[in-house]
Amino acid sequence: MSRTVTALYDTKAEAEAARQRLSSEVNVTSARIIDQESNRSGQSAGSLNQVPMSREDRHAFGEGIRRGGFLLCAEVTAHQDADKIVHLLEESSSVDIDRRQEDWRREGWSPQAAQGPAGGMASARPAAGLTGGASANIGESGRVMAEEHIPVVEEELVVGKREVERGGARVRSYVREVPVHEQVTLREEHVDVQRRPGSGERLSSADAAGLMQDRTIEMTETAEEAVVSKEARVREEVVVRKTAEQHVEQVNDTVRRTEVDVEENESGSGERPAFGGFSSDRGTSR
């Protein structure tokens, strides 16, 4: 029994890289890439019509090819682990087909409702959407099986750090003029000229000759005045310093995770329930 794995890509290079990795890590029977040119002939081996999938998926992938996408189709053996295949396609740049269909709907595109296999085919191949736009189909004769996915999600506590302001100091220096008052004693000199009456004494000729001569007397007055100068001295210093310290803070919070309880229905006929456990060859539904 074989399984068909499909994944849509925006570029051919991405589709080629995914095909090479899938072929190198998984036992691939055949792998081909369908684009606009190869899909024009609906009956050729490279067309979308030759890929076993539901009409709904064929309509969606066909729209992706029409818009320039590249569809990777690979046939793998049924014993391959589906989780490994999904993981390989998730690591590639595959298109999330569900999200892409939502974008197309906003543009006016209408999806085709899911229908049964066309042409009265005896074997049904239910398509199962995988995360990242990939889908896996498994050949199975008889009835169409279906399954639904419950993602198990678990939150992880991520503790980071950020800097916040807790205060500080702002020191500003400026110059201010302060009036001062000092006293200084200054000395001044004054020249005083006075006339006094003579004694009337008679002088001899010799004394008169000695006194009657040209004479000049000069006397200079002096005075002190205040001279102001300034001297600057360092009176004190203001030191602004920042220190750092570390401490350990305990962070307590809660995280959520999905818990799944499985209840199996007991059947008296011994048959497995329609939505019970699946083997590794099951298909997954979108």
Side-chain angles (χ1 to χ4, degrees):
M1 186 179 298
S2 63
R3 174 179 298 169
T4 301
V5 177
T6 57
L8 184 66
Y9 296 87
D10 289 326
T11 65
K12 188 175 182 180
E14 294 173 344
E16 288 287 356
R19 177 170 65 175
Q20 293 178 4
R21 183 172 183 184
L22 196 64
S23 300
S24 62
E25 300 190 25
V26 180
N27 186 13
V28 178
T29 305
S30 64
R32 62 185 184 274
I33 298 175
I34 301 176
D35 54 12
Q36 290 181 344
E37 183 177 354
S38 61
N39 193 43
R40 289 174 182 172
S41 176
Q43 302 301 325
S44 64
S47 67
L48 185 62
N49 290 338
Q50 303 304 315
V51 180
M53 62 175 62
S54 67
R55 292 186 179 182
E56 181 183 12
D57 285 346
R58 181 174 288 107
H59 183 61
F61 285 127
E63 181 66 16
I65 296 174
R66 188 187 68 81
R67 292 173 179 259
F70 297 84
L71 183 65
L72 170 63
C73 301
E75 295 286 339
V76 298
T77 57
H79 69 274
Q80 291 293 341
D81 186 10
D83 294 336
K84 181 178 181 180
I85 298 173
V86 172
H87 179 68
L88 292 176
L89 295 178
E90 284 180 342
E91 290 184 345
S92 63
S93 303
S94 60
V95 173
D96 188 334
I97 191 64
D98 293 332
R99 183 175 299 177
R100 189 63 59 88
Q101 287 183 78
E102 293 178 1
D103 297 337
W104 295 342
R105 290 189 188 100
R106 287 191 289 267
E107 297 174 1
W109 177 78
S110 298
Q112 178 174 324
Q115 300 177 4
M121 297 175 59
S123 62
R125 295 177 177 265
L130 305 179
T131 304
S135 64
N137 307 310
I138 178 172
E140 188 177 299
S141 61
R143 55 178 179 170
V144 177
M145 303 297 295
E147 71 176 34
E148 296 184 2
H149 288 200
I150 299 178
V152 178
V153 182
E154 182 176 358
E155 292 181 335
E156 294 182 356
L157 187 63
V158 179
V159 180
K161 297 187 295 184
R162 66 176 180 180
E163 290 187 356
V164 296
E165 294 186 0
R166 292 290 180 87
R170 181 171 178 261
V171 179
R172 182 175 65 93
S173 65
Y174 58 93
V175 178
R176 181 169 61 92
E177 292 186 354
V178 180
V180 295
H181 178 74
E182 296 289 344
Q183 290 184 347
V184 60
T185 302
L186 303 176
R187 176 178 173 273
E188 294 183 357
E189 296 178 346
H190 301 280
V191 177
D192 187 19
V193 179
Q194 298 179 356
R195 285 180 177 269
R196 297 178 182 177
S199 62
E201 180 183 357
R202 291 181 179 272
L203 298 176
S204 62
S205 299
D207 291 337
L211 294 176
M212 295 183 66
Q213 294 179 3
D214 294 335
R215 295 181 63 183
T216 302
I217 299 175
E218 292 184 359
M219 189 174 292
T220 305
E221 295 179 348
T222 61
E224 295 177 341
E225 62 180 10
V227 178
V228 179
S229 63
K230 300 178 182 180
E231 293 180 352
R233 297 182 181 181
V234 179
R235 299 289 298 274
E236 64 176 339
E237 289 182 339
V238 177
V239 180
V240 181
R241 180 171 53 189
K242 181 171 68 173
T243 60
E245 62 181 13
Q246 292 183 340
H247 69 279
V248 177
E249 183 173 339
Q250 303 296 330
V251 179
N252 299 318
D253 206 334
T254 59
V255 295
R256 298 174 301 172
R257 61 171 299 171
T258 303
E259 300 289 347
V260 179
D261 294 333
V262 179
E263 297 182 0
E264 295 189 1
N265 297 327
E266 296 293 338
S267 177
S269 60
E271 297 180 355
R272 296 181 60 86
F275 295 96
F278 292 93
S279 67
S280 61
D281 293 339
R282 73 182 188 277
T284 54
S285 62
R286 295 163 51 258

